[in-house]
Amino acid sequence: RRLVKMSGHLSEYAYGKIKIRVMKLNRQPSGRHEVRELTVNTLLWGDFADSWTTGSNAKIVATETQKNTVYQLARTHDLSSPEEFGKVIASHFLSTYNWITKVQVTLFEDPWGRIHIDNEPHNHAFTKTTTERRYAKVVQSRGAPAKITGGIFNFIVLKSTQSSFVGFVGHKGSVMEKDKWTTLGESTDRIFSTSVESEWEYANDQAPFNECYERVKTAFIRNFSGPPKEGVPSPSAQLTQHLMCLGAIDACKPHITDIKIITPNLHYMPLSSLNVPSHMHATNNDVFFPIDGPSGYITSSASLNRSRL
Protein backbone atom coordinates (compact mmCIF):
# COMPACT_ATOMS: atom_id res chain seq x y z
CA ARG A 1 0.00 0.00 0.00
CA ARG A 2 1.35 3.40 -0.93
CA LEU A 3 1.31 5.85 1.98
CA VAL A 4 -0.14 9.29 1.46
CA LYS A 5 2.47 12.00 1.92
CA MET A 6 1.78 13.93 5.11
CA SER A 7 3.58 16.42 7.30
CA GLY A 8 5.77 15.13 10.12
CA HIS A 9 8.07 12.18 10.48
CA LEU A 10 8.61 9.15 12.70
CA SER A 11 10.59 10.34 15.73
CA GLU A 12 10.45 7.44 18.19
CA TYR A 13 9.29 3.86 18.08
CA ALA A 14 9.38 0.63 20.08
CA TYR A 15 7.18 -2.40 20.62
CA GLY A 16 6.95 -5.43 22.88
CA LYS A 17 4.75 -7.82 24.80
CA ILE A 18 3.00 -7.16 28.11
CA LYS A 19 1.36 -9.31 30.78
CA ILE A 20 3.47 -12.42 30.22
CA ARG A 21 2.62 -14.39 33.34
CA VAL A 22 4.99 -17.17 34.34
CA MET A 23 5.33 -19.38 37.42
CA LYS A 24 8.39 -21.48 38.20
CA LEU A 25 8.21 -24.45 40.54
CA ASN A 26 11.63 -25.25 41.98
CA ARG A 27 11.70 -28.74 43.47
CA GLN A 28 14.43 -29.35 46.04
CA PRO A 29 15.92 -32.84 46.64
CA SER A 30 14.67 -32.61 50.22
CA GLY A 31 11.07 -32.55 49.00
CA ARG A 32 10.67 -28.85 49.72
CA HIS A 33 9.21 -26.77 46.90
CA GLU A 34 9.73 -23.08 46.10
CA VAL A 35 7.35 -21.17 43.83
CA ARG A 36 8.03 -17.90 42.02
CA GLU A 37 5.44 -16.03 39.98
CA LEU A 38 6.25 -13.09 37.72
CA THR A 39 4.47 -10.89 35.21
CA VAL A 40 6.90 -9.78 32.51
CA ASN A 41 6.73 -6.92 30.00
CA THR A 42 9.23 -6.65 27.14
CA LEU A 43 10.01 -3.63 24.97
CA LEU A 44 12.39 -3.53 22.00
CA TRP A 45 14.14 -0.73 20.11
CA GLY A 46 16.12 -1.21 16.92
CA ASP A 47 16.48 -0.93 13.17
CA PHE A 48 12.90 -1.69 12.22
CA ALA A 49 11.44 1.73 11.44
CA ASP A 50 10.25 0.29 8.11
CA SER A 51 7.44 -1.43 9.95
CA TRP A 52 6.02 2.02 10.75
CA THR A 53 6.94 3.82 7.53
CA THR A 54 6.34 1.14 4.88
CA GLY A 55 4.53 -1.68 6.65
CA SER A 56 7.42 -4.13 6.29
CA ASN A 57 7.74 -6.74 9.07
CA ALA A 58 11.09 -8.11 7.87
CA LYS A 59 12.86 -7.23 11.13
CA ILE A 60 9.94 -7.62 13.52
CA VAL A 61 10.38 -10.24 16.23
CA ALA A 62 6.74 -11.14 16.81
CA THR A 63 5.39 -10.36 20.24
CA GLU A 64 4.27 -13.99 20.41
CA THR A 65 7.94 -14.93 19.95
CA GLN A 66 8.85 -12.61 22.80
CA LYS A 67 6.32 -14.39 25.00
CA ASN A 68 7.70 -17.80 24.01
CA THR A 69 11.22 -16.57 24.77
CA VAL A 70 10.30 -15.68 28.35
CA TYR A 71 8.81 -19.13 28.97
CA GLN A 72 11.79 -20.94 27.44
CA LEU A 73 14.35 -18.92 29.40
CA ALA A 74 12.39 -19.65 32.58
CA ARG A 75 13.15 -23.35 32.09
CA THR A 76 16.78 -22.78 33.11
CA HIS A 77 16.30 -19.98 35.66
CA ASP A 78 14.82 -20.25 39.16
CA LEU A 79 13.19 -16.76 38.98
CA SER A 80 14.33 -16.07 42.55
CA SER A 81 15.55 -12.61 41.52
CA PRO A 82 13.42 -10.56 39.07
CA GLU A 83 16.47 -8.42 38.29
CA GLU A 84 18.64 -11.41 37.39
CA PHE A 85 15.93 -12.94 35.20
CA GLY A 86 15.41 -9.58 33.49
CA LYS A 87 19.14 -9.47 32.66
CA VAL A 88 18.89 -12.92 31.06
CA ILE A 89 15.95 -11.84 28.89
CA ALA A 90 17.58 -8.59 27.78
CA SER A 91 20.86 -10.33 26.95
CA HIS A 92 19.05 -12.95 24.88
CA PHE A 93 17.34 -10.45 22.60
CA LEU A 94 20.52 -8.44 22.06
CA SER A 95 22.66 -11.51 21.31
CA THR A 96 20.10 -13.22 19.07
CA TYR A 97 18.89 -10.33 16.89
CA ASN A 98 21.71 -8.03 15.75
CA TRP A 99 19.36 -5.26 14.60
CA ILE A 100 17.90 -4.77 18.08
CA THR A 101 19.71 -1.88 19.79
CA LYS A 102 18.01 -1.66 23.20
CA VAL A 103 15.81 -3.84 25.38
CA GLN A 104 13.68 -2.99 28.39
CA VAL A 105 12.30 -5.74 30.60
CA THR A 106 9.91 -4.92 33.43
CA LEU A 107 9.05 -7.65 35.91
CA PHE A 108 6.41 -7.71 38.66
CA GLU A 109 6.50 -10.39 41.35
CA ASP A 110 3.37 -11.92 42.88
CA PRO A 111 4.53 -13.13 46.31
CA TRP A 112 3.54 -16.52 47.67
CA GLY A 113 4.01 -17.25 51.38
CA ARG A 114 4.58 -20.70 52.76
CA ILE A 115 1.75 -22.17 54.83
CA HIS A 116 2.59 -23.27 58.37
CA ILE A 117 0.74 -26.13 60.09
CA ASP A 118 1.16 -26.23 63.89
CA ASN A 119 4.08 -23.79 63.47
CA GLU A 120 5.79 -26.14 61.01
CA PRO A 121 6.49 -24.86 57.46
CA HIS A 122 4.71 -26.89 54.81
CA ASN A 123 6.85 -28.39 52.07
CA HIS A 124 4.54 -27.58 49.18
CA ALA A 125 1.53 -25.48 50.27
CA PHE A 126 1.36 -21.68 49.90
CA THR A 127 -0.94 -18.71 50.30
CA LYS A 128 -1.04 -15.09 49.20
CA THR A 129 0.18 -13.36 52.36
CA THR A 130 0.73 -9.74 51.41
CA THR A 131 -0.54 -6.93 49.21
CA GLU A 132 2.84 -5.56 48.18
CA ARG A 133 4.44 -6.27 44.82
CA ARG A 134 8.12 -6.18 44.05
CA TYR A 135 9.18 -5.05 40.63
CA ALA A 136 12.36 -4.62 38.64
CA LYS A 137 13.27 -2.87 35.42
CA VAL A 138 16.25 -3.85 33.29
CA VAL A 139 17.32 -1.57 30.43
CA GLN A 140 20.26 -2.62 28.29
CA SER A 141 21.67 -1.04 25.14
CA ARG A 142 23.94 -2.90 22.78
CA GLY A 143 27.54 -2.80 23.96
CA ALA A 144 26.67 -1.39 27.40
CA PRO A 145 26.01 -2.92 30.83
CA ALA A 146 22.43 -3.20 31.96
CA LYS A 147 20.88 -0.42 34.03
CA ILE A 148 18.85 -1.92 36.85
CA THR A 149 15.99 -0.40 38.81
CA GLY A 150 14.35 -2.13 41.77
CA GLY A 151 11.04 -1.21 43.29
CA ILE A 152 8.02 -1.93 45.44
CA PHE A 153 4.42 -0.77 45.29
CA ASN A 154 1.19 -1.27 47.17
CA PHE A 155 3.21 -1.69 50.36
CA ILE A 156 0.56 -0.64 52.88
CA VAL A 157 1.58 0.49 56.36
CA LEU A 158 -0.34 2.09 59.24
CA LYS A 159 0.38 3.40 62.70
CA SER A 160 -2.44 4.30 65.05
CA THR A 161 -0.77 7.10 67.00
CA GLN A 162 2.26 9.45 67.14
CA SER A 163 1.30 11.25 63.94
CA SER A 164 0.40 14.94 64.10
CA PHE A 165 -0.34 17.78 61.70
CA VAL A 166 -0.08 21.24 63.19
CA GLY A 167 1.35 24.64 62.31
CA PHE A 168 0.40 24.53 58.63
CA VAL A 169 -0.82 27.51 56.59
CA GLY A 170 -3.91 29.02 58.15
CA HIS A 171 -2.80 28.25 61.69
CA LYS A 172 -0.56 29.81 64.32
CA GLY A 173 3.14 29.39 63.71
CA SER A 174 2.88 29.21 59.92
CA VAL A 175 4.08 31.85 57.46
CA MET A 176 0.43 32.79 56.87
CA GLU A 177 -1.67 32.40 59.99
CA LYS A 178 -4.86 33.66 58.34
CA ASP A 179 -6.00 31.95 55.15
CA LYS A 180 -9.65 32.07 54.10
CA TRP A 181 -9.37 28.80 52.17
CA THR A 182 -8.05 26.71 55.06
CA THR A 183 -10.80 24.80 56.84
CA LEU A 184 -8.85 21.81 58.17
CA GLY A 185 -8.18 21.91 61.88
CA GLU A 186 -4.92 20.93 63.50
CA SER A 187 -4.43 17.40 64.81
CA THR A 188 -2.00 16.44 67.55
CA ASP A 189 -2.68 12.71 67.22
CA ARG A 190 -4.11 10.86 64.22
CA ILE A 191 -3.92 7.60 62.31
CA PHE A 192 -1.18 7.65 59.70
CA SER A 193 -1.45 5.17 56.83
CA THR A 194 -0.05 5.06 53.33
CA SER A 195 0.50 2.78 50.36
CA VAL A 196 4.22 3.06 49.65
CA GLU A 197 5.44 3.10 46.06
CA SER A 198 9.17 3.35 45.58
CA GLU A 199 11.88 2.65 43.02
CA TRP A 200 15.64 2.80 43.33
CA GLU A 201 18.60 2.75 40.95
CA TYR A 202 21.41 0.27 41.43
CA ALA A 203 25.01 1.39 41.06
CA ASN A 204 25.75 -1.52 38.71
CA ASP A 205 24.26 -4.73 37.35
CA GLN A 206 26.03 -6.97 39.88
CA ALA A 207 24.34 -5.76 43.08
CA PRO A 208 22.88 -8.24 45.62
CA PHE A 209 19.34 -7.54 44.43
CA ASN A 210 17.38 -9.82 46.78
CA GLU A 211 19.32 -8.66 49.82
CA CYS A 212 18.86 -5.01 48.90
CA TYR A 213 15.13 -5.45 48.40
CA GLU A 214 14.72 -6.87 51.90
CA ARG A 215 16.93 -4.16 53.38
CA VAL A 216 14.92 -1.39 51.70
CA LYS A 217 11.66 -2.83 52.97
CA THR A 218 13.06 -3.22 56.48
CA ALA A 219 14.37 0.37 56.45
CA PHE A 220 10.96 1.64 55.38
CA ILE A 221 9.27 -0.22 58.23
CA ARG A 222 11.80 0.86 60.88
CA ASN A 223 11.69 4.55 59.96
CA PHE A 224 7.92 4.60 59.64
CA SER A 225 7.21 2.70 62.84
CA GLY A 226 10.10 3.35 65.24
CA PRO A 227 11.01 0.96 68.10
CA PRO A 228 8.29 -1.58 69.06
CA LYS A 229 7.50 -0.07 72.48
CA GLU A 230 8.23 3.63 71.99
CA GLY A 231 7.44 4.20 68.31
CA VAL A 232 8.60 7.42 66.65
CA PRO A 233 6.77 10.76 66.21
CA SER A 234 5.71 11.85 62.73
CA PRO A 235 5.29 15.65 62.86
CA SER A 236 4.89 15.62 59.08
CA ALA A 237 4.32 12.90 56.52
CA GLN A 238 7.07 14.55 54.50
CA LEU A 239 9.69 14.06 57.23
CA THR A 240 8.74 10.43 57.72
CA GLN A 241 8.93 9.85 53.97
CA HIS A 242 12.39 11.42 53.76
CA LEU A 243 13.69 9.38 56.71
CA MET A 244 12.41 6.23 55.01
CA CYS A 245 14.42 7.13 51.89
CA LEU A 246 17.58 7.95 53.83
CA GLY A 247 17.26 4.75 55.83
CA ALA A 248 16.97 2.70 52.64
CA ILE A 249 20.05 4.29 51.06
CA ASP A 250 22.05 3.83 54.25
CA ALA A 251 21.01 0.18 54.53
CA CYS A 252 22.05 -0.64 50.96
CA LYS A 253 25.03 1.61 50.26
CA PRO A 254 26.97 1.53 48.01
CA HIS A 255 24.61 -0.56 45.89
CA ILE A 256 21.74 1.97 45.71
CA THR A 257 22.55 5.41 44.33
CA ASP A 258 19.13 7.07 44.00
CA ILE A 259 15.69 6.37 45.38
CA LYS A 260 12.25 7.84 44.71
CA ILE A 261 9.21 7.36 46.93
CA ILE A 262 5.50 8.15 46.73
CA THR A 263 3.30 7.95 49.82
CA PRO A 264 -0.33 8.89 49.21
CA ASN A 265 -2.40 9.26 52.37
CA LEU A 266 -4.86 6.52 53.22
CA HIS A 267 -7.29 8.45 55.38
CA TYR A 268 -9.13 7.02 58.37
CA MET A 269 -11.46 9.71 59.65
CA PRO A 270 -12.77 9.88 63.23
CA LEU A 271 -16.48 9.33 63.67
CA SER A 272 -16.74 12.86 65.07
CA SER A 273 -15.97 14.27 61.61
CA LEU A 274 -19.19 12.82 60.19
CA ASN A 275 -22.19 15.08 60.00
CA VAL A 276 -23.98 13.31 62.85
CA PRO A 277 -25.16 14.51 66.29
CA SER A 278 -22.51 14.61 69.01
CA HIS A 279 -24.19 11.83 70.99
CA MET A 280 -23.30 9.50 68.08
CA HIS A 281 -19.57 10.30 68.30
CA ALA A 282 -17.15 7.74 69.75
CA THR A 283 -16.27 9.14 73.16
CA ASN A 284 -12.89 7.41 73.17
CA ASN A 285 -12.17 8.45 69.59
CA ASP A 286 -11.75 4.77 68.72
CA VAL A 287 -14.15 4.41 65.78
CA PHE A 288 -13.02 5.57 62.34
CA PHE A 289 -14.22 5.32 58.77
CA PRO A 290 -11.89 4.99 55.76
CA ILE A 291 -12.29 7.23 52.72
CA ASP A 292 -11.00 6.65 49.20
CA GLY A 293 -10.41 10.32 48.43
CA PRO A 294 -9.63 13.09 48.05
CA SER A 295 -6.30 12.29 49.67
CA GLY A 296 -2.84 13.78 50.02
CA TYR A 297 -0.10 12.80 47.58
CA ILE A 298 3.53 13.18 48.67
CA THR A 299 6.67 12.38 46.69
CA SER A 300 10.41 12.93 47.05
CA SER A 301 13.77 11.54 46.04
CA ALA A 302 17.10 11.06 47.76
CA SER A 303 20.58 10.39 46.41
CA LEU A 304 23.67 8.79 47.87
CA ASN A 305 26.22 11.19 46.40
CA ARG A 306 24.49 14.35 45.31
CA SER A 307 21.51 16.65 45.71
CA ARG A 308 19.12 17.40 42.86
CA LEU A 309 17.75 20.52 44.54
Side-chain angles (χ1 to χ4, degrees):
R1 179 184 176 185
R2 189 173 182 178
L3 297 179
V4 178
K5 187 175 182 179
M6 294 179 286
S7 300
H9 61 276
L10 183 67
S11 58
E12 188 175 354
Y13 54 92
Y15 76 101
K17 193 77 164 181
I18 64 172
K19 299 180 181 179
I20 308 169
R21 298 186 63 189
V22 56
M23 174 180 275
K24 181 65 179 284
L25 172 58
N26 299 300
R27 300 180 178 91
Q28 307 298 328
S30 64
R32 184 183 177 92
H33 291 178
E34 303 285 347
V35 292
R36 294 289 187 270
E37 183 178 352
L38 296 174
T39 299
V40 181
N41 299 338
T42 59
L43 194 61
L44 308 180
W45 288 260
D47 179 23
F48 36 67
D50 282 354
S51 188
W52 278 262
T53 58
T54 70
S56 170
N57 293 319
K59 292 185 176 179
I60 293 296
V61 180
T63 63
E64 184 72 6
T65 303
Q66 296 179 44
K67 179 204 72 176
N68 293 341
T69 298
V70 170
Y71 289 132
Q72 291 305 303
L73 293 176
R75 295 174 62 186
T76 55
H77 198 282
D78 62 11
L79 273 60
S80 63
S81 164
E83 292 86 352
E84 293 291 353
F85 188 48
K87 286 165 54 179
V88 170
I89 297 170
S91 177
H92 169 86
F93 284 119
L94 289 170
S95 62
T96 305
Y97 308 103
N98 60 18
W99 59 89
I100 291 176
T101 58
K102 187 172 78 169
V103 179
Q104 176 179 293
V105 186
T106 310
L107 309 97
F108 303 86
E109 183 174 29
D110 287 296
W112 286 96
R114 189 173 301 279
I115 286 177
H116 287 66
I117 304 294
D118 296 328
N119 295 320
E120 182 179 353
H122 202 286
N123 270 352
H124 53 262
F126 306 85
T127 184
K128 294 278 187 174
T129 57
T130 181
T131 61
E132 83 225 28
R133 293 188 78 187
R134 175 182 178 180
Y135 78 91
K137 182 169 66 177
V138 177
V139 180
Q140 186 168 11
S141 298
R142 183 169 298 281
K147 296 181 179 179
I148 315 290
T149 301
I152 187 173
F153 68 96
N154 204 37
F155 182 40
I156 299 175
V157 292
L158 178 150
K159 62 181 181 182
S160 54
T161 188
Q162 288 192 309
S163 174
S164 59
F165 188 43
V166 300
F168 53 94
V169 170
H171 290 278
K172 187 176 180 180
S174 72
V175 297
M176 183 185 294
E177 295 186 355
K178 299 292 184 181
D179 177 33
K180 65 180 181 179
W181 302 115
T182 297
T183 58
L184 181 66
E186 295 179 303
S187 176
T188 57
D189 192 42
R190 61 178 184 168
I191 289 178
F192 181 14
S193 181
T194 184
S195 177
V196 179
E197 179 178 340
S198 179
E199 64 177 24
W200 48 91
E201 298 175 14
Y202 285 104
N204 57 60
D205 62 358
Q206 300 299 319
F209 303 115
N210 288 346
E211 181 182 346
C212 280
Y213 177 80
E214 293 300 331
R215 288 189 177 188
V216 167
K217 194 166 71 166
T218 298
F220 284 170
I221 291 172
R222 287 183 180 276
N223 286 277
F224 177 85
S225 308
K229 298 295 185 181
E230 301 85 4
V232 62
S234 294
S236 76
Q238 287 85 343
L239 175 61
T240 297
Q241 181 188 80
H242 185 52
L243 292 175
M244 291 166 69
C245 274
L246 295 183
I249 285 182
D250 193 56
C252 293
K253 63 182 181 184
H255 303 298
I256 289 179
T257 59
D258 297 273
I259 186 168
K260 179 181 180 180
I261 189 169
I262 300 170
T263 53
N265 290 331
L266 301 181
H267 289 300
Y268 291 83
M269 308 302 292
L271 193 61
S272 58
S273 63
L274 278 176
N275 187 23
V276 296
S278 59
H279 73 275
M280 297 177 66
H281 295 175
T283 55
N284 292 326
N285 201 27
D286 56 2
V287 178
F288 301 82
F289 62 97
I291 61 173
D292 293 328
S295 60
Y297 180 91
I298 302 165
T299 182
S300 66
S301 300
S303 299
L304 177 61
N305 298 319
R306 65 190 184 277
S307 171
R308 291 180 176 176
L309 295 179

